[in-house]
Amino acid sequence: MASQLDLIGGDYIAGISINPPTNSRVTSVYSEVQASRIDHTLPLPSVFKTPFKIIDGPPSSSAGHPEEIEKLFPNLFGQPSALLVPNQSNEVSSDQKLKIGVVLSGGQAPGGHNVICGIFDYLQEYARGSSLFGFRGGPAGIMKGKYIELTSEFVYPYRNQGGFDMICSGRDKIETPEQFKQAEETVTKMDLDGLVVIGGDDSNTNACLLAEHFRAKNMKTLVIGCPKTIDGDLKSKEVPTSFGFDTACKIYSEMIGNVMIDARSTGKYYHFVRLMGRAASHITLECALQTHPNITIIGEEVFEKKLTLKNVTDNIVDVIYKRAENGYNYGVILVPEGLIDFIPEVQQLISELNEVLAEGNVDEEGQWKKNLKKETLEIFEFLPQTIQEQLMLERDPHGNVQVAKIETEKMLIQMVETELEKKKTEGTYEREFMGKSHFFGYEGRCGLPTNFDATYCYALGYGAGSLLQSGKTGLISSVGNLAAPVEEWTVGGTALTSLMDVERRHGKFKPVIKKAMVELEGAPFKKFASQREEWALKNRYISPGPIQFKGPGSDARNHTLMLELGAQA
Amino acid sequence: MDSDFGIPRELSPLQQLRSQYKPELPPCLQGTTVRVELGDGTTVAEAADSHTMARAFPHTLGQPLAHFLRETAQVPDAHIITELPSVRVGIVFCGRQAPGGHNVIWGLFEALKVHNAKSTLLGFLGGSEGLFAQKTLEITDDILQTYKNQGGYDLLGRTKDQIKTTEQVNAALKACTDLKLDGLVIIGGVISNTDAAHLAEFFAAAKCSTKVVGVPVTTNGDLKNQFVEANVGFDTICKVNSQLISNACTDALSAEKYYYFIRLMGRKHSHVALECTLQSHPNMVILGEEVAASKLTIFDIAKQICDAVQARAVEDKNHGVILIPEGLIVSIPEVYALLKEIHGLLRQGVSADKISTQLSPWSSALFEFLPPFIKKQLLLHPESDDSAQLSQIETEKLLAYLVETEMNKRLKEGTYKGKKFNAICHFFGYQARGSLPSKFDCDYAYVLGHICYHILAAGLNGYMATVTNLKSPVNKWKCGATPITAMMTVKHWSQDASYTLTSIGRPAIHPAMVDLKGKAYDLLRQNAQKFLMEDLYRNPGPLQYDGPGADAKAVSLCVEDQDYMGRIKKLQEYLDQVRTIVKPGCSQDVLKAALSVMASVTDVLTTISSNGGQ
């Protein structure tokens, strides 16, 4: 049992203890598909089939404000990227037995277990006798010294399986000096040679800070990051995609395709589907490319064109109206979870609400509304009642509006309904509008990883292992050339500092890995933009169907990745 | 034009691949002849209904079971029909779509053409309304190209209207006469097949030569009886739902801080929830049938969940997954009573905002207690068949709300020491209903389509196409036809919000409840405690069409003793053998032995039948 430790407060550092081994998964209840996936052998990039060495590229800079980044990372700034290349003999491998820790940070993404399996197998193959420890429950596990040793038997049931439950995850951050101290003490006591942090943009920033801290203290523990997030917003030239995006999008697209078939069979519903993905609209865009919905709202475009809520509503109403003329009284509309954040007037509203809420003067009679600016109040009143209530909900621990809690799809349905009612009374529209709302999110985070994600993650894990073994720190495991067959994939590491910029928070510069947003000039958006009018009025629905693990198409990669790599027109 | 039914579809690579798949036919349907053996006449399902049934079905009651035979079968009194004239058949989708429905059409089309290339299949566009309006589409192989093995009902579309009122029945009669149809095939669930039986009787009485055939297609899985082992669509949606449920289970286990409350589409009864539980092993499922049997209140249910959450917290588990069938809400006696009052008032024309003031004191107290969002949903107008709009009532949110309130209270009181209770609610419905059909549903529907043709060729009216022994491979499937009247009963009163006032007293196929004495339920009970505490989550994975898992079948199908039709035939064989052995002229000993055995057999059977045992 993981048991008591969670409940004990206070001093964890004093008595670091290896928890009694948590139970591994019970494979006897596995389905046929799960069981067959465990033993599915994963191809590796060919560099791991020969002896290899690591070569360094030119010194790196940062994504912005290099001078500030250099100040924040004096020991790591400018590190070159690393690349594995075939060699006469293996210069990386040695007899040294390594002690490596691994931690999963943030929300689940399909493939996480495979990264761990990749590290494990790498150590087995290239550094026999090494040990791999999994920190339980995310970064808190590092701070509290909660970990388990991962053995071959323990790891086995998780091969090619979804979820993060092998060691679980958490959203804690290692931020304060005390927390850095705790982490330092844990890795010292454990005598760790390396730590792999599997996480999103924030977690990788954190990984780099840890690497810097350890290096500054002359500690031997190296830190390597791995790009995880279904949201797809952690990517760069060297890190073409984050793992989990492929599987999640395929699961959502299966569902969207099903809803399309349902819509067409029933002929009377407009389905508004909100998709997880935080601020960026990558998931929404990818799902649109896979399924061809009638309308797809891309947050970045709304922002770029400075659209108001009214504009967005009117655009939808316009399409519904035109479709009615063609005889279609149904449709499917995709809405990104982060849409609200992109509408400037709503951002204004949220920030004013934040202030009002922070002051705590919210009265039943609504006198507090007088504290809003006139235009802001108008927008607030334009919102449906239920959304007004949602906006007033508590904020998350970071003080942000709980984006996932705002049911944008329901809000849009209500606003579209109101507009169409108006048209009806004017006599210009005579159909019955029935909206159905959906939110696809959690069910995509823990699916069985696709062949792509399973293979990509395994390679990321192998890569992380090789970087640690060759003494690298502050890099993010990078597997490239992903459009090619697996054998031709490149493996290496990219300086985390090279992905960073600074943001000013509370008067201080904070390093951040810039979130990759949907580029309106990028190939995926352009392809979408060139076809969307056709999709809007005619029905060009595509139902990709369930993810297949065997047979034709089972190795297909997502459109976003292929378009960005220029491997698909 | 309401839609673009029947036009070629753009298919994804996987859909294309599936459109190339051709299901296998069981031996009894192969070849170019039709071989039918008619068994004994069927009896009514409930003896007490015999008068009402006889009055309602003077022409179609008591017809025999029909078995279709393989070419090599040695059955002396089988009819072997070799002369098969060309026929004209109409087919219509009734009610909600179910994955696999298209394959019924394809199977029927293939069978028609194999036996006589001049036969015609007309699809009615837009469901029963298309039938009444005689809007047809002639089915061709070209049209079928992009619909073979595909989900949805978009080849022909559907409506949820019934074929029930005098007007509707007359319109159907006129359509069949005008279009010179030899047969009309109705694809649907309990309501549509009930309508099919009544229509068959009506046609027979009107001397209309169109024979009516029903096909059991419904995702709810509630058209179940000794003759019908499974419904087309059930297998697929349970698998799609189970995949999503399992993903939620893994998510819960990974995050260690959420309880998922997942409501499943499936109408009044809990077949889908039970099957999904057996496939994915969530921590808990609240079956409507259990709640109704134990007369639990909504607070009892909430308390059960709270106690489970608390027990898990003691073992340091602060996560879990709880399944809730959408029909649960009408299985709770006091909520059912409340809904009945509300629907009564709505029918009287009382507007929704005034209803709360006109409820009886008991119902009013319950209503006032409920959170606003549920109040709003309970006040919705009932569906066209007068049942509550189950898909719109967010029971999962109601339960999550009640549980959260109670857990916060327990946390304060110190009786609960786990993490703050956190619920995430889901409703899985539409995303499963439109899925690509599973291999099983493709095969089953295709075979049923073929059987429809065989029924019509044998000249049978008022029958449902049936396949038994479904848990075995396709080449072991037994194909037959059952008079729909043999599945019908009469309800003289109803405790059940999903029945209409008008259906009381009218013979109907009633949706089967989850059998609390059945093997599937028993399997759940045996494992319930382990599922609750040990997180034995199982992930059937996404539907597979190739490789491991592609041939998986529903757990509830595989655990039940089935093949009723096969066993009826077996009995027939024994009786025949007895008759041959104990012919006049046989020895005294043989006769004596036969008499004594017969006496005890009849005794046992009399006792069992009078106990109403099954």
Side-chain angles (χ1 to χ4, degrees):
Chain A
M1 300 282 108
S3 87
Q4 306 307 344
L5 271 178
D6 274 341
L7 304 175
I8 303 168
D11 190 7
Y12 291 95
I13 307 138
I16 288 176
S17 63
I18 296 185
N19 301 324
T22 318
N23 295 327
S24 184
R25 279 202 202 171
V26 180
T27 49
S28 60
V29 302
Y30 269 17
S31 70
E32 247 182 292
V33 175
Q34 278 180 298
S36 72
R37 291 303 286 167
I38 295 189
D39 295 319
H40 170 71
T41 35
L42 295 165
L44 275 171
S46 60
V47 70
F48 290 115
K49 290 174 190 154
T50 57
F52 60 86
K53 63 175 181 182
I54 290 191
I55 53 164
D56 288 337
S60 66
S61 179
S62 70
H65 298 89
E67 62 296 342
E68 297 300 334
I69 296 293
E70 182 163 15
K71 271 187 232 156
L72 289 162
F73 297 95
N75 292 291
L76 294 182
F77 180 79
Q79 283 201 107
S81 54
L83 186 68
L84 271 64
V85 292
N87 195 34
Q88 298 294 325
S89 64
N90 199 323
E91 288 179 12
V92 175
S93 184
S94 70
D95 294 335
Q96 199 203 344
K97 295 182 176 68
L98 298 174
K99 283 189 181 156
I100 305 291
V102 60
V103 65
L104 293 163
S105 179
Q108 286 80 260
H113 288 147
N114 272 28
V115 179
I116 301 178
C117 293
I119 304 169
F120 185 85
D121 291 353
Y122 178 87
L123 294 176
Q124 291 288 308
E125 191 176 337
Y126 293 94
R128 277 205 83 79
S130 295
S131 339
L132 181 63
F133 301 93
F135 287 103
R136 298 244 338 133
I142 303 179
M143 297 186 277
K144 296 175 184 171
K146 278 183 59 178
Y147 59 87
I148 47 171
E149 178 162 4
L150 302 175
T151 60
S152 174
E153 298 72 40
F154 188 87
V155 164
Y156 177 71
Y158 298 94
R159 291 183 181 269
N160 300 310
Q161 311 289 319
F164 275 7
D165 49 309
M166 187 201 290
I167 51 173
C168 295
S169 179
R171 293 190 183 278
D172 305 86
K173 279 187 186 171
I174 301 175
E175 265 174 331
T176 64
E178 297 77 53
Q179 290 170 331
F180 272 95
K181 188 107 184 35
Q182 289 173 346
E184 184 186 323
E185 291 186 22
T186 301
V187 299
T188 313
K189 284 210 169 163
M190 288 172 70
D191 191 30
L192 284 191
D193 298 293
L195 173 66
V196 181
V197 177
I198 304 171
D201 50 350
D202 283 348
S203 310
N204 274 290
T205 307
N206 221 230
C208 196
L209 286 166
L210 269 183
E212 174 69 27
H213 182 83
F214 293 164
R215 174 65 53 93
K217 294 235 164 177
N218 271 325
M219 294 163 56
K220 69 166 178 175
T221 315
L222 310 166
V223 186
I224 295 292
C226 276
K228 170 236 69 171
T229 169
I230 62 164
D231 305 330
D233 57 4
L234 170 54
K235 60 181 169 189
S236 66
K237 203 166 120 275
E238 301 83 357
V239 182
T241 187
S242 57
F243 75 77
F245 177 75
D246 189 72
T247 309
C249 287
K250 283 174 181 163
I251 293 176
Y252 301 143
S253 295
E254 174 194 353
M255 299 306 143
I256 295 164
N258 291 354
V259 166
M260 286 169 163
I261 289 181
D262 201 79
R264 191 157 55 190
S265 302
T266 315
K268 61 178 179 184
Y269 296 124
Y270 270 94
H271 293 271
F272 285 64
V273 180
R274 176 168 51 113
L275 292 161
M276 205 177 234
R278 293 198 300 179
S281 304
H282 296 290
I283 290 182
T284 304
L285 179 58
E286 172 62 27
C287 291
L289 290 167
Q290 289 197 27
T291 63
H292 306 181
N294 300 106
I295 303 174
T296 306
I297 302 172
I298 299 296
E300 289 83 343
E301 186 185 24
V302 168
F303 181 74
E304 180 75 24
K305 295 189 175 166
K306 301 201 171 46
L307 300 182
T308 64
L309 212 44
K310 180 85 171 57
N311 295 147
V312 173
T313 312
D314 286 346
N315 289 346
I316 298 175
V317 169
D318 189 47
V319 170
I320 293 177
Y321 189 75
K322 283 189 186 142
R323 285 178 61 78
E325 286 180 343
N326 289 350
Y328 302 129
N329 196 28
Y330 61 90
V332 176
I333 297 163
L334 303 190
V335 184
E337 153 177 277
L339 173 64
I340 286 271
D341 281 355
F342 282 108
I343 302 177
E345 50 173 12
V346 178
Q347 285 174 311
Q348 173 67 23
L349 171 66
I350 288 170
S351 80
E352 283 188 41
L353 281 179
N354 267 337
E355 276 173 42
V356 174
L357 286 174
E359 286 160 21
N361 315 320
V362 179
D363 54 323
E364 291 263 337
E365 297 77 38
Q367 288 294 319
W368 64 271
K369 289 184 191 166
K370 286 187 181 157
N371 297 330
L372 298 178
K373 284 190 193 129
K374 187 165 157 286
E375 312 83 71
T376 316
L377 182 60
E378 267 173 30
I379 298 152
F380 188 74
E381 302 288 357
F382 177 67
L383 296 173
Q385 182 75 34
T386 43
I387 302 298
Q388 292 185 6
E389 284 160 14
Q390 274 183 357
L391 281 174
M392 307 298 290
L393 280 178
E394 279 178 56
R395 306 303 149 100
D396 68 12
H398 309 287
N400 301 322
V401 169
Q402 299 225 29
V403 180
K405 284 211 172 159
I406 296 180
E407 299 178 304
T408 330
E409 75 287 12
K410 289 194 180 164
M411 174 176 89
L412 287 173
I413 289 177
Q414 290 181 38
M415 295 194 305
V416 166
E417 210 166 51
T418 315
E419 291 301 309
L420 285 171
E421 274 310 312
K422 266 192 227 157
K423 280 192 184 282
K424 253 184 163 175
T425 33
E426 288 165 11
T428 51
Y429 183 76
E430 46 193 33
R431 295 299 199 110
E432 213 46 62
F433 169 79
M434 283 195 273
K436 291 265 175 212
S437 63
H438 305 269
F439 172 52
F440 297 159
Y442 298 98
E443 59 270 60
R445 303 197 306 187
C446 281
L448 284 158
T450 55
N451 283 345
F452 172 76
D453 268 332
T455 314
Y456 178 53
C457 287
Y458 195 60
L460 284 173
Y462 254 74
S466 66
L467 294 173
L468 288 173
Q469 197 181 23
S470 56
K472 300 288 180 190
T473 190
L475 303 186
I476 184 167
S477 178
S478 316
V479 175
N481 199 22
L482 295 176
V486 180
E487 292 67 33
E488 295 166 34
W489 288 0
T490 59
V491 181
T494 306
L496 278 162
T497 48
S498 76
L499 308 177
M500 285 187 195
D501 198 346
V502 285
E503 256 177 28
R504 246 193 132 76
R505 282 184 205 159
H506 311 294
K508 270 189 177 168
F509 281 120
K510 281 242 172 192
V512 289
I513 293 180
K514 263 188 96 70
K515 268 195 197 3
M517 305 306 276
V518 168
E519 299 282 347
L520 302 189
E521 289 306 313
F525 182 83
K526 276 178 145 170
K527 178 162 185 192
F528 156 74
S530 71
Q531 302 191 348
R532 62 175 149 184
E533 291 199 9
E534 164 109 2
W535 300 348
L537 300 184
K538 299 190 179 138
N539 298 322
R540 290 278 177 255
Y541 302 146
I542 298 273
S543 299
I547 291 168
Q548 297 298 293
F549 296 116
K550 204 166 170 275
S554 55
D555 292 324
R557 278 137 233 199
N558 61 76
H559 295 259
T560 304
L561 178 65
M562 296 304 268
L563 286 162
E564 283 177 345
L565 295 175
Q568 181 184 313
Chain B
M1 183 179 68
D2 272 336
S3 195
D4 48 4
F5 299 132
I7 66 158
R9 295 296 185 216
E10 212 167 318
L11 300 183
S12 69
L14 180 63
Q15 285 179 308
Q16 260 170 40
L17 202 69
R18 289 305 294 157
S19 71
Q20 311 294 321
Y21 170 75
K22 182 146 190 187
E24 185 189 345
L25 273 183
C28 60
L29 299 178
Q30 289 174 8
T32 51
T33 58
V34 169
R35 305 162 297 272
V36 61
E37 177 196 9
L38 296 177
D40 288 341
T42 49
T43 169
V44 290
E46 304 252 348
D49 298 339
S50 35
H51 282 299
T52 324
M53 290 294 291
R55 252 202 327 274
F57 297 100
H59 300 87
T60 51
L61 190 66
Q63 300 191 91
L65 288 181
H67 306 279
F68 299 104
L69 309 169
R70 53 174 75 208
E71 256 161 329
T72 53
Q74 299 288 329
V75 180
D77 46 357
H79 304 265
I80 298 172
I81 311 167
T82 43
E83 285 294 303
L84 293 157
S86 75
V87 286
R88 289 168 63 80
V89 180
I91 191 161
V92 60
F93 284 132
C94 281
R96 296 178 173 79
Q97 57 266 46
H102 287 143
N103 271 25
V104 177
I105 301 182
W106 179 29
L108 173 56
F109 176 79
E110 292 268 306
L112 280 166
K113 295 294 181 187
V114 163
H115 293 92
N116 189 324
K118 293 204 185 92
S119 291
T120 310
L121 180 59
L122 296 176
F124 288 102
L125 289 174
S128 48
E129 307 226 308
L131 169 66
F132 308 144
Q134 304 190 17
K135 282 206 279 187
T136 62
L137 172 73
E138 185 173 341
I139 305 295
T140 62
D141 203 46
D142 267 356
I143 287 177
L144 285 171
Q145 271 330 306
T146 55
Y147 293 92
K148 292 174 183 173
N149 304 308
Q150 308 295 321
Y153 272 10
D154 48 340
L155 171 58
L156 299 177
R158 57 95 166 175
T159 47
K160 58 181 170 188
D161 302 279
Q162 307 176 351
I163 312 174
K164 190 160 156 192
T165 65
T166 320
E167 241 179 6
Q168 291 168 339
V169 172
N170 281 323
L173 177 69
K174 186 163 186 309
C176 291
T177 322
D178 287 357
L179 296 166
K180 300 193 177 61
L181 295 185
D182 299 291
L184 174 66
V185 175
I186 294 176
I187 299 175
V190 283
I191 296 173
S192 310
N193 278 287
T194 298
D195 288 347
H198 286 282
L199 197 63
E201 175 64 29
F202 180 76
F203 281 9
K207 305 232 172 333
C208 163
S209 63
T210 313
K211 310 287 188 237
V212 183
V213 175
V215 191
V217 179
T218 164
T219 56
N220 305 330
D222 57 2
L223 205 180
K224 233 178 168 178
N225 50 52
Q226 58 267 52
F227 309 107
V228 183
E229 293 180 357
N231 305 148
V232 172
F234 180 76
D235 185 72
T236 306
I237 70 131
C238 287
K239 284 173 180 162
V240 176
N241 281 331
S242 297
Q243 172 202 352
L244 299 176
I245 293 163
S246 314
N247 289 357
C249 289
T250 313
D251 200 67
L253 185 62
S254 304
E256 299 184 299
K257 59 183 175 185
Y258 306 119
Y259 271 90
Y260 282 96
F261 283 62
I262 300 175
R263 180 167 51 110
L264 297 170
M265 194 180 254
R267 304 299 294 163
K268 158 88 185 164
H269 298 301
S270 309
H271 301 283
V272 173
L274 175 59
E275 175 61 29
C276 290
T277 305
L278 295 174
Q279 288 194 24
S280 58
H281 307 178
N283 298 99
M284 232 181 155
V285 58
I286 316 277
L287 297 179
E289 287 81 352
E290 278 182 323
V291 168
S294 337
K295 307 246 175 325
L296 298 182
T297 66
I298 184 91
F299 306 103
D300 294 334
I301 301 169
K303 186 175 172 299
Q304 266 187 10
I305 301 174
C306 289
D307 292 346
V309 170
Q310 189 162 337
R312 286 176 57 77
V314 171
E315 304 219 341
D316 202 26
K317 290 177 173 152
N318 292 293
H319 62 270
V321 177
I322 298 163
L323 296 192
I324 296 152
E326 70 174 0
L328 175 66
I329 193 81
V330 290
S331 304
I332 305 170
E334 83 269 16
V335 180
Y336 164 70
L338 169 63
L339 268 171
K340 211 159 112 179
E341 275 188 42
I342 292 174
H343 290 172
L345 290 167
L346 285 171
R347 257 193 301 275
Q348 288 166 31
V350 180
S351 69
D353 53 327
K354 300 250 160 51
I355 279 183
S356 66
T357 60
Q358 301 196 24
L359 293 170
S360 68
W362 187 257
S363 291
S364 174
L366 173 64
F367 189 73
E368 287 316 320
F369 174 81
L370 297 171
F373 70 92
I374 281 284
K375 282 188 191 167
K376 227 190 259 172
Q377 294 162 355
L378 292 180
L379 288 174
L380 291 172
H381 274 266
E383 304 246 16
S384 62
D385 64 354
D386 270 353
S387 60
Q389 286 201 41
L390 294 177
S391 65
Q392 301 302 312
I393 304 177
E394 297 174 307
T395 319
E396 76 286 15
K397 288 196 179 158
L398 173 60
L399 283 172
Y401 165 85
L402 293 173
V403 171
E404 186 179 352
T405 314
E406 171 68 17
M407 291 322 292
N408 286 345
K409 195 174 129 228
R410 292 185 188 186
L411 194 62
K412 236 184 198 165
E413 288 167 353
T415 43
Y416 166 68
K417 297 189 174 68
K419 284 188 193 166
K420 188 180 178 308
F421 177 80
N422 220 329
I424 296 177
C425 294
H426 276 299
F427 173 51
F428 294 155
Y430 301 96
Q431 59 266 61
R433 216 168 66 166
S435 171
L436 264 176
S438 65
K439 232 169 140 196
F440 174 81
D441 275 331
C442 289
D443 294 349
Y444 183 32
Y446 180 79
V447 168
L448 285 171
H450 270 267
I451 297 174
C452 290
Y453 171 76
H454 287 247
I455 294 174
L456 293 171
L460 304 173
N461 181 31
Y463 276 72
M464 189 187 294
T466 55
V467 180
T468 53
N469 207 21
L470 282 170
K471 61 179 169 187
S472 304
V474 178
N475 60 16
K476 299 251 168 57
W477 285 4
K478 297 189 180 138
C479 302
T482 308
I484 302 176
T485 49
M487 306 171 192
M488 299 171 91
T489 52
V490 185
K491 289 237 172 175
H492 297 283
W493 56 278
S494 170
Q495 249 306 338
D496 187 330
S498 69
Y499 293 131
T500 64
L501 292 175
T502 45
S503 73
I504 293 171
R506 180 183 192 249
I509 305 176
H510 292 284
M513 297 198 296
V514 166
D515 181 2
L516 299 184
K517 290 185 199 134
K519 292 198 171 170
Y521 179 73
D522 191 48
L523 187 62
L524 170 66
R525 283 276 60 89
Q526 282 171 26
N527 289 292
Q529 191 57 27
K530 272 192 278 174
F531 289 174
L532 175 61
M533 298 308 294
E534 293 174 27
D535 297 349
L536 297 174
Y537 304 139
R538 173 183 184 274
N539 194 339
L543 271 176
Q544 296 298 296
Y545 294 104
D546 193 1
D551 292 311
K553 286 176 186 169
V555 180
S556 53
L557 176 72
C558 295
V559 296
E560 295 287 356
D561 279 331
Q562 287 183 327
D563 197 19
Y564 180 85
M565 303 281 269
R567 277 182 276 145
I568 280 275
K569 277 202 73 182
K570 189 93 201 152
L571 176 73
Q572 199 64 49
E573 281 165 30
Y574 276 123
L575 294 177
D576 289 346
Q577 269 182 316
V578 171
R579 209 169 278 143
T580 337
I581 299 168
V582 200
K583 278 235 166 92
C586 69
S587 77
Q588 280 280 13
D589 288 346
V590 169
L591 184 60
K592 266 190 203 159
L595 276 174
S596 103
V597 175
M598 279 302 191
S600 67
V601 167
T602 18
D603 274 354
V604 171
L605 295 180
T606 317
T607 318
I608 295 180
S609 320
S610 64
N611 286 345
Q614 291 185 349

